[in-house]
Amino acid sequence: MKMKAFFVMVLGMLVISGGGAFAGVLDWSKSDVSPADADTIRVFGLIYSGTPGITYNLDFKFNETTLKFEPVLPTSVVTINESKLATADAVRGGVLYDKWWKINGQAEPTSNHPFYPSTGKQSGKDTWRCKECHGWDYKGKDGAYVSGSHYTGIKGVYEARNMNAAHLFAIITKHNLSLSEQDIWDLTRFIKESLVEMDKYVIFNGTQKKSATGDVTKGKTLYENTGTGGGQCIMCHGADGTAIKFDGTEGVGDVANDNPWETLQKIRFGHPGSSPTMPSAVNNGLSITDQNDILTYGQTLPKIAP
Ligand code: HEC
Ligand code: HEC
C-alpha cells in the first residue's frame, strides 16, 4: 500500500507542475542526481513521508515524444532502509575498507576485480581491497597513489562523503564484492562520518613529504599509555615498535615512515585479522590529534627493515 502510494506521488509530481500540493509529502531536498545512461537520470535518496526511515532511488528516462523525463516504474525503484545508518558501525566499516574478507569471513577473492585496470601493477585478492583502488588517504589517483605500483587512475572516496546515504549504499553495492547489507551500511557510515583530511596530518609534498605533523612528546606518552584513553601500542609492539615484525622484517618505525597514511588508518580502526586484535583508537575515544601524535612518535622509532 505504502509503496503504491509512493508511485502515485511520484507520478503526481510529474503531472502537476508546481508541486506545492505535495510539500512535506515527497521531499527531494536531500536527493542526489547522477546520470544512469545516455537518456536516463538516477535520483538517490527520495524521501516519502509515508515511509519514514526509508528512502528511494529511482530512474527517470527521457521520453523523445513527450520531451519529458518519466519515472521508470516500478522496475527501477530501489528501496533503501536508511534508518540502518544510525546503528551502523563506522569503525567496522574502516577495517572492511582495509581488507573486508578478514572481517566478514567471506572467501578470499582470487581473480582480478573487474574494475581493476588492466594496466594496474597489482593482481589477485589485493585488487578487491577498497584501499587498493581508493587509497589509504581516500584520495585515489589524487593522493599517494598518484603514481607508482599502486596507481590505478581511479578517484578517491573522500568527496563521496557528501553523497546521501542511499547514493553511497547503491554505489558500494554495485561493486559486487561479497558484502552483506550490514557490511555495506558499516562502509557507508565509515565514508560519511569517519574519513579524515589526511593532508592535515601527513605532509603530502615537498622536502617534508610523508612527515606527520603531530607532537612527538605527547605521542610517546600515548604510545606507552596502556590505560583507558591510551594508545596501548607498547603492549604488543614493544617500546621501540619492533616486538612484532610485519612481513618478518618491519617494525612500527618502518611502516610509520614508509606509509604514514596506512599507519594512521590502522591506528584509527585497527588491523584486520590481527591476533591479538589490534584495538581501534577511535573506539577507545582518542581524538584525531592524539592519533596523529602517536603516528608522529611512530616515525621516530627505529627502522629495522634491511
Ligand atoms: C578494483 C577497484 C575498486 C575497488 C576494489 C573498489 N572500488 Fe570503489 N570505485 C571504483 C571505480 C572504478 C569507481 C568509479 C570511479 C569514477 O566514477 O570515476 C568507484 C567508485 C566508488 C565510489 C564513488 C566515488 C565518487 O566520488 O563518485 C565509492 C564511494 C566507492 N567506490 C567505494 C568503494 C568501497 C567502499 C570499496 C570497498 C568495499 C570499493 N569502492 C572498492 C573501483 C574500485
Ligand atoms: C593488542 C595488541 C596490539 C595493540 C595494542 C596494537 N597493535 Fe598494532 N598490530 C597488532 C598486530 C597483531 C598486528 C598485525 C601484525 C601482522 O599481521 O604482521 C598489528 C599491526 C599493526 C600495523 C600494521 C603493519 C603492517 O604494515 O601490516 C601498524 C602500523 C601497527 N600495528 C601500529 C600500532 C600502533 C601505532 C598501535 C597503538 C596505537 C598499535 N599498533 C596497537 C597488535 C596490536
Side-chain angles (χ1 to χ4, degrees), residues 222-223 230-237 244-248 250-252 255-256 262-263 266-267 271-279 281 286 294-295 298:
L222 286 160
Y223 183 97
Q232 306 170 354
C233 322
I234 194 169
M235 284 176 8
C236 301
H237 295 290
I244 300 176
K245 296 197 176 45
F246 317 125
D247 298 326
E250 299 183 309
V252 172
V255 184
E262 172 182 3
T263 305
K266 293 200 193 267
I267 290 171
H271 179 86
S274 55
S275 174
T277 305
M278 175 164 157
L286 279 74
I294 295 173
L295 171 65

Coordinates of all heavy atoms in Angstrom, one line a residue, residues 222-223 230-237 244-248 250-252 255-256 262-263 266-267 271-279 281 286 294-295 298, ligand 2:
L222 N 51.3 8.7 24.8 CA 50.1 7.9 24.3 C 50.5 6.5 23.9 O 49.8 5.6 24.2 CB 49.4 8.7 23.2 CG 48.6 9.9 23.6 CD1 48.3 10.8 22.4 CD2 47.2 9.5 24.3
Y223 N 51.6 6.4 23.2 CA 52.0 5.1 22.7 C 52.3 4.2 23.9 O 52.0 3.0 23.8 CB 53.4 5.3 21.9 CG 53.9 4.1 21.3 CD1 53.7 3.8 19.9 CD2 54.7 3.2 22.0 CE1 54.2 2.6 19.4 CE2 55.3 2.0 21.5 CZ 55.0 1.8 20.1 OH 55.5 0.6 19.6
G230 N 44.6 5.6 26.4 CA 46.0 5.5 25.9 C 46.0 4.8 24.6 O 45.0 4.1 24.2
G231 N 47.1 4.8 23.9 CA 47.2 4.1 22.6 C 47.5 2.6 22.8 O 47.1 1.8 21.9
Q232 N 48.1 2.2 23.9 CA 48.3 0.8 24.2 C 49.3 0.1 23.3 O 49.5 -1.1 23.4 CB 47.0 0.1 24.3 CG 46.0 0.7 25.3 CD 44.6 0.1 25.2 OE1 44.4 -0.8 24.3 NE2 43.7 0.5 26.1
C233 N 49.9 0.9 22.4 CA 50.7 0.2 21.4 C 51.9 -0.6 22.0 O 52.2 -1.7 21.5 CB 51.4 1.3 20.5 SG 50.3 2.7 20.1
I234 N 52.4 -0.1 23.1 CA 53.6 -0.7 23.7 C 53.3 -2.2 24.1 O 54.2 -3.0 24.1 CB 54.1 0.1 24.9 CG1 55.5 -0.3 25.3 CG2 53.1 0.1 26.0 CD1 56.1 0.7 26.3
M235 N 52.1 -2.4 24.5 CA 51.7 -3.8 24.9 C 52.0 -4.8 23.9 O 52.4 -5.9 24.3 CB 50.2 -3.9 25.2 CG 49.8 -3.2 26.5 SD 48.0 -3.1 26.8 CE 47.2 -4.1 25.6
C236 N 51.8 -4.5 22.6 CA 52.0 -5.6 21.6 C 53.3 -5.3 20.8 O 54.0 -6.2 20.4 CB 50.8 -5.6 20.7 SG 49.3 -6.0 21.6
H237 N 53.5 -4.0 20.5 CA 54.6 -3.7 19.6 C 56.0 -3.4 20.3 O 57.0 -3.2 19.6 CB 54.2 -2.5 18.7 CG 53.1 -2.8 17.8 ND1 53.2 -3.7 16.7 CD2 51.8 -2.5 17.8 CE1 52.1 -3.8 16.1 NE2 51.2 -3.1 16.7
I244 N 56.7 -7.0 17.2 CA 56.1 -7.7 16.1 C 56.8 -7.3 14.9 O 56.9 -6.1 14.6 CB 54.5 -7.4 16.0 CG1 53.8 -7.8 17.3 CG2 53.9 -8.2 14.8 CD1 52.3 -7.4 17.3
K245 N 57.2 -8.3 14.1 CA 57.9 -7.9 12.8 C 56.9 -8.2 11.6 O 56.6 -9.4 11.3 CB 59.2 -8.7 12.6 CG 60.1 -8.3 13.7 CD 61.6 -8.6 13.5 CE 62.5 -8.1 14.6 NZ 62.0 -8.3 16.0
F246 N 56.4 -7.1 11.0 CA 55.5 -7.2 9.9 C 56.2 -7.8 8.7 O 57.3 -7.3 8.4 CB 54.9 -5.9 9.5 CG 54.4 -5.1 10.7 CD1 54.9 -3.8 10.9 CD2 53.6 -5.6 11.7 CE1 54.5 -3.0 12.0 CE2 53.2 -4.8 12.8 CZ 53.7 -3.5 12.9
D247 N 55.6 -8.7 8.0 CA 56.3 -9.4 6.9 C 57.7 -9.9 7.3 O 58.6 -10.0 6.5 CB 56.5 -8.5 5.7 CG 55.1 -8.0 5.1 OD1 54.2 -8.8 5.2 OD2 55.1 -6.9 4.7
G248 N 57.8 -10.2 8.6 CA 59.1 -10.8 9.1 C 60.2 -9.8 9.3 O 61.3 -10.1 9.8
E250 N 59.7 -5.8 9.3 CA 59.4 -4.4 9.6 C 58.9 -4.1 11.0 O 58.1 -5.0 11.5 CB 58.4 -3.8 8.6 CG 58.9 -3.8 7.1 CD 57.9 -3.2 6.2 OE1 56.7 -3.5 6.3 OE2 58.3 -2.3 5.4
G251 N 59.2 -3.0 11.5 CA 58.6 -2.6 12.8 C 57.7 -1.4 12.6 O 57.5 -0.9 11.4
V252 N 57.1 -0.8 13.6 CA 56.2 0.3 13.5 C 57.0 1.5 12.9 O 56.4 2.2 12.0 CB 55.7 0.7 14.9 CG1 54.9 2.0 14.8 CG2 54.8 -0.4 15.5
V255 N 56.9 1.2 9.0 CA 55.6 1.4 8.4 C 55.2 2.9 8.5 O 54.6 3.5 7.6 CB 54.5 0.4 8.9 CG1 53.2 0.6 8.2 CG2 55.0 -1.0 8.8
A256 N 55.4 3.4 9.7 CA 55.0 4.8 10.0 C 55.7 5.8 9.1 O 55.1 6.8 8.7 CB 55.3 5.2 11.5
E262 N 48.6 4.7 5.7 CA 48.2 3.4 6.1 C 48.3 3.3 7.6 O 47.4 2.8 8.3 CB 49.1 2.3 5.5 CG 48.8 1.0 6.0 CD 49.7 -0.1 5.4 OE1 50.6 0.2 4.6 OE2 49.5 -1.3 5.8
T263 N 49.4 3.8 8.2 CA 49.6 3.7 9.7 C 48.5 4.5 10.4 O 47.9 4.0 11.4 CB 51.0 4.2 10.1 OG1 51.9 3.5 9.3 CG2 51.2 4.1 11.5
K266 N 45.3 2.5 10.3 CA 45.3 1.4 11.2 C 45.3 1.8 12.7 O 44.7 1.1 13.5 CB 46.5 0.5 10.9 CG 46.4 -0.1 9.5 CD 47.3 -1.4 9.4 CE 47.4 -1.8 7.9 NZ 46.5 -2.8 7.5
I267 N 45.9 2.9 13.0 CA 45.8 3.4 14.4 C 44.3 3.7 14.6 O 43.8 3.4 15.7 CB 46.7 4.7 14.6 CG1 48.1 4.4 14.5 CG2 46.3 5.4 15.9 CD1 49.1 5.6 14.5
H271 N 43.8 -3.4 12.7 CA 44.4 -4.1 11.6 C 43.6 -5.4 11.4 O 43.5 -6.2 12.3 CB 45.9 -4.4 11.9 CG 46.6 -5.2 10.9 ND1 47.3 -4.6 9.9 CD2 46.8 -6.5 10.8 CE1 47.8 -5.6 9.1 NE2 47.6 -6.7 9.7
P272 N 42.9 -5.5 10.2 CA 42.0 -6.7 10.0 C 42.7 -8.0 10.2 O 43.8 -8.3 9.6 CB 41.6 -6.5 8.6 CG 42.0 -5.2 8.1 CD 43.0 -4.7 9.0
G273 N 42.1 -8.9 11.0 CA 42.6 -10.2 11.2 C 43.8 -10.3 12.1 O 44.4 -11.4 12.2
S274 N 44.2 -9.2 12.8 CA 45.4 -9.3 13.6 C 45.1 -10.2 14.9 O 44.0 -10.2 15.4 CB 45.9 -7.9 14.1 OG 44.8 -7.2 14.7
S275 N 46.1 -10.8 15.4 CA 46.0 -11.7 16.5 C 47.2 -11.5 17.4 O 48.3 -11.8 17.0 CB 45.9 -13.1 16.1 OG 45.8 -14.0 17.2
P276 N 47.0 -10.9 18.7 CA 45.8 -10.4 19.2 C 45.2 -9.2 18.5 O 46.0 -8.6 17.8 CB 46.2 -10.0 20.7 CG 47.6 -9.7 20.6 CD 48.2 -10.6 19.5
T277 N 43.9 -9.0 18.6 CA 43.2 -8.0 17.8 C 43.8 -6.6 18.2 O 43.8 -6.2 19.4 CB 41.7 -8.0 18.1 OG1 41.3 -9.3 17.8 CG2 41.0 -7.0 17.3
M278 N 44.3 -5.9 17.2 CA 44.8 -4.5 17.4 C 43.6 -3.6 17.7 O 42.6 -3.6 16.9 CB 45.6 -4.1 16.2 CG 46.0 -2.6 16.3 SD 47.3 -2.2 15.1 CE 47.1 -0.5 15.0
P279 N 43.6 -2.9 18.8 CA 42.4 -2.0 19.1 C 42.3 -0.8 18.1 O 43.2 -0.4 17.5 CB 42.6 -1.6 20.5 CG 44.1 -1.6 20.7 CD 44.6 -2.7 19.8
A281 N 41.8 3.1 17.9 CA 41.9 4.3 18.7 C 40.6 5.1 18.7 O 40.2 5.8 19.6 CB 43.0 5.2 18.2
L286 N 40.2 8.1 21.5 CA 41.3 9.0 21.3 C 40.9 10.0 20.1 O 40.2 9.6 19.2 CB 42.6 8.2 20.8 CG 43.4 7.6 22.0 CD1 42.7 6.4 22.6 CD2 44.8 7.3 21.5
I294 N 50.5 10.0 18.0 CA 51.1 8.6 18.0 C 51.8 8.3 16.7 O 52.9 7.8 16.7 CB 50.0 7.6 18.3 CG1 49.4 7.7 19.7 CG2 50.5 6.1 18.1 CD1 48.2 6.8 19.9
L295 N 51.2 8.7 15.6 CA 51.8 8.5 14.3 C 53.2 9.2 14.2 O 54.2 8.7 13.8 CB 50.9 9.0 13.1 CG 51.5 9.0 11.8 CD1 51.9 7.6 11.3 CD2 50.6 9.7 10.8
G298 N 55.6 7.5 16.2 CA 55.9 6.2 15.5 C 57.0 6.5 14.4 O 57.9 5.6 14.2
Ligands
HEC2 C1 46.6 -5.9 21.3 C2 47.8 -5.9 20.5 C3 48.0 -4.6 19.7 C4 48.0 -3.3 20.1 C5 47.6 -2.7 21.4 C6 48.3 -2.5 18.9 N1 48.6 -3.3 17.9 FE1 49.3 -2.8 16.0 N2 49.2 -4.7 15.4 C7 48.9 -5.8 16.2 C8 49.0 -7.0 15.4 C9 48.9 -8.4 15.9 C10 49.2 -6.6 14.1 C11 49.4 -7.4 12.8 C12 50.8 -7.9 12.7 C13 51.0 -8.8 11.5 O1 50.0 -9.4 11.0 O2 52.1 -8.9 11.0 C14 49.3 -5.1 14.1 C15 49.6 -4.3 13.0 C16 50.0 -3.0 13.1 C17 50.4 -2.2 12.0 C18 50.4 -2.7 10.5 C19 51.7 -3.1 10.0 C20 51.6 -3.6 8.6 O3 52.1 -3.0 7.7 O4 50.9 -4.6 8.4 C21 50.8 -1.0 12.5 C22 51.4 0.2 11.7 C23 50.5 -1.0 13.9 N3 50.0 -2.2 14.2 C24 50.7 0.0 14.8 C25 50.2 0.1 16.0 C26 50.1 1.3 16.8 C27 50.7 2.6 16.5 C28 49.4 1.0 18.0 C29 49.0 1.9 19.1 C30 48.1 3.0 18.7 C31 49.1 -0.4 17.9 N4 49.5 -0.9 16.7 C32 48.4 -1.1 18.9 C33 48.7 -5.8 17.5 C34 48.5 -4.6 18.3

